[in-house]
Amino acid sequence: MASTRHMDARMDDPDNLVPKPNISEIKNKMFRQEMYRKMKMEKKKMKIKEKKKKMKEAKASGEKVVKQTPKTIESMRIPDETMVSAEDEEVRLDEAIDEMAGYFNMETTPKILLTTCDRPGARTNKLCKEIKRLLPNTTLLYRRGLDLKKVIPQALSREYTDLIVINEDKKMPNGLVLSHLPDGPTAHFKLSNVRLTNEIKNAGEMTGHKPEVILNNFNTRLGHSVGRMLASMFPHDPNFHGRRVVTFHNQRDFVFFRHHRYIFRSAQRVGLQELGPRFTLKLRTLQKGTFDSKYGEYEFVHKRHQMDTSRRKFFL
């Protein structure tokens, strides 16, 4: 009886009389891809239509509309035992005596020495010049074969607070070493997705104002340490009149660097204009003390085959 009623319903609907085409049986690849694209678009439209219909019915009946949170890799993150909040008392006590405490207590002013690997290519040189303009109070040093272990004592004697080294492979920048002086720590990042200012569409002109610094999503003890290292490269007192803002956004252990300027269109509307450069950092190692690749004591070493076992587990 039920099957007869179901068949009658199908007979009443003229669309059900024509069987749906089986896309996998189409032999022409281009036509098959086009049909598959159209089918996906139709499903998407039907889904949006159904969603709007449900929201309309819920509003008409006076029910509270609950928006569903989309499932992303970030939202399904496996909780880490080292995740802490900014108000954690233990974290505050540790940060009060760590290597960057002098900067955050406004006892020191950032003074940065920027250098490269030996004989860098043109693209690495351009990136260094843009970073020099980006970071106030920065000196660019061309090494010319000088060993890095000899650079650090010279930097200490001239009271530099940070050392940045840009490495390259096949004439393309691929690594960044950041060493906080005089006592460390030293972080080694993989550098990727580099875009110089002239490669960014509608990029603005960089000014000499001190930028505001925004750190997003550094939630673990390791993330707190890395975030403090990145923040300590910039002056304490940003010049908000210049409207420059630098963002380090951590997402799935990739730190995205962006440099913008606020554009005030009205009292309510604010836009952003990218200034450049743009790049992505991935932490490889975090070492206690200054640079020592042979005898250094490491706090964190990224081991790909041991750590990248789950897409939902992150460390920063």
Side-chain angles (χ1 to χ4, degrees):
M1 187 72 179
S3 60
T4 307
R5 201 181 303 120
H6 180 66
M7 186 167 287
D8 290 340
R10 287 191 61 189
M11 293 292 289
D12 292 338
D13 188 359
D15 292 336
N16 288 329
L17 295 175
V18 181
K20 298 290 183 183
N22 189 351
I23 295 175
S24 61
E25 292 180 356
I26 299 174
K27 293 183 179 180
N28 187 299
K29 183 179 178 181
M30 292 180 69
F31 185 56
R32 186 171 66 245
Q33 288 177 342
E34 183 64 20
M35 289 292 291
Y36 180 70
R37 188 185 65 80
K38 287 182 178 179
M39 185 186 74
K40 283 188 72 177
M41 288 292 293
E42 286 296 322
K43 283 186 176 180
K44 188 177 180 181
K45 287 178 181 177
M46 288 295 295
K47 193 174 179 181
I48 294 171
K49 189 177 179 181
E50 190 68 24
K51 187 177 178 181
K52 286 181 178 179
K53 184 182 176 183
K54 285 182 179 179
M55 289 182 71
K56 192 175 180 180
E57 289 175 353
K59 284 182 179 178
S61 61
E63 295 178 10
K64 188 178 179 181
V65 180
V66 180
K67 291 187 178 180
Q68 294 182 347
T69 305
K71 286 187 177 180
T72 62
I73 297 176
E74 191 74 24
S75 65
M76 294 189 292
R77 175 177 183 170
I78 298 173
D80 191 273
E81 60 273 8
T82 63
M83 292 184 71
V84 292
S85 65
E87 293 77 23
D88 192 291
E89 188 62 30
E90 185 180 347
V91 175
R92 286 185 179 181
L93 292 173
D94 287 345
E95 291 179 350
I97 57 173
D98 69 0
E99 296 89 343
M100 277 75 71
Y103 165 80
F104 286 95
N105 293 333
M106 301 187 72
E107 297 169 2
T108 60
T109 302
K111 184 181 178 183
I112 299 167
L113 180 63
L114 174 64
T115 186
T116 64
C117 57
D118 193 23
R119 298 180 182 87
R123 188 171 180 81
T124 303
N125 279 327
K126 287 179 182 178
L127 176 62
C128 287
K129 288 176 182 177
E130 293 197 4
I131 292 176
K132 181 181 182 296
R133 290 185 63 201
L134 168 72
L135 292 169
N137 204 17
T138 299
T139 304
L140 180 58
L141 170 70
Y142 293 98
R143 281 171 61 183
R144 296 185 181 87
L146 186 63
D147 188 42
L148 193 59
K149 289 184 179 180
K150 295 180 181 178
V151 173
I152 292 175
Q154 294 180 16
L156 289 172
S157 65
R158 290 170 173 80
E159 297 182 344
Y160 284 99
T161 60
D162 294 276
L163 171 67
I164 300 175
V165 184
I166 306 294
N167 294 317
E168 68 171 26
D169 183 38
K170 297 178 182 177
K171 302 299 179 182
M172 298 293 287
N174 74 330
L176 185 147
V177 177
L178 171 59
S179 185
H180 185 72
L181 305 176
D183 302 316
T186 299
H188 177 217
F189 298 94
K190 177 185 175 183
L191 181 64
S192 60
N193 300 326
V194 176
R195 292 290 180 272
L196 301 175
T197 302
N198 60 349
E199 298 168 348
I200 298 173
K201 188 177 180 180
N202 299 325
E205 183 65 30
M206 192 188 307
T207 63
H209 297 90
K210 297 175 184 177
E212 177 189 359
V213 180
I214 297 176
L215 300 172
N216 284 336
N217 211 20
F218 293 89
N219 298 322
T220 63
R221 294 297 293 268
L222 177 64
H224 271 249
S225 298
V226 173
R228 284 168 69 83
M229 283 188 71
L230 296 172
S232 64
M233 295 188 295
F234 295 86
H236 308 278
D237 48 344
N239 191 329
F240 294 105
H241 181 72
R243 296 175 287 139
R244 279 177 59 197
V245 56
V246 164
T247 306
F248 292 96
H249 176 72
N250 173 41
Q251 187 170 349
R252 302 194 299 273
D253 287 346
F254 290 92
V255 180
F256 298 93
F257 173 84
R258 296 293 184 269
H259 181 207
H260 292 94
R261 177 172 58 196
Y262 293 118
I263 303 294
F264 295 97
R265 296 189 173 94
S266 67
Q268 291 79 27
R269 296 181 60 209
V270 180
L272 289 173
Q273 181 184 27
E274 190 166 1
L275 302 180
R278 176 199 303 177
F279 51 82
T280 305
L281 301 172
K282 172 85 171 179
L283 183 66
R284 290 305 185 200
T285 63
L286 183 66
Q287 176 186 342
K288 289 185 178 181
T290 54
F291 180 79
D292 189 350
S293 58
K294 192 172 183 180
Y295 300 107
E297 180 183 352
Y298 289 90
E299 295 182 39
F300 173 82
V301 178
H302 181 262
K303 298 178 180 179
R304 185 166 58 89
H305 298 291
Q306 296 178 14
M307 294 180 172
D308 296 347
T309 54
S310 173
R311 294 184 65 199
R312 295 184 295 165
K313 186 171 178 62
F314 314 119
F315 299 95
L316 293 185

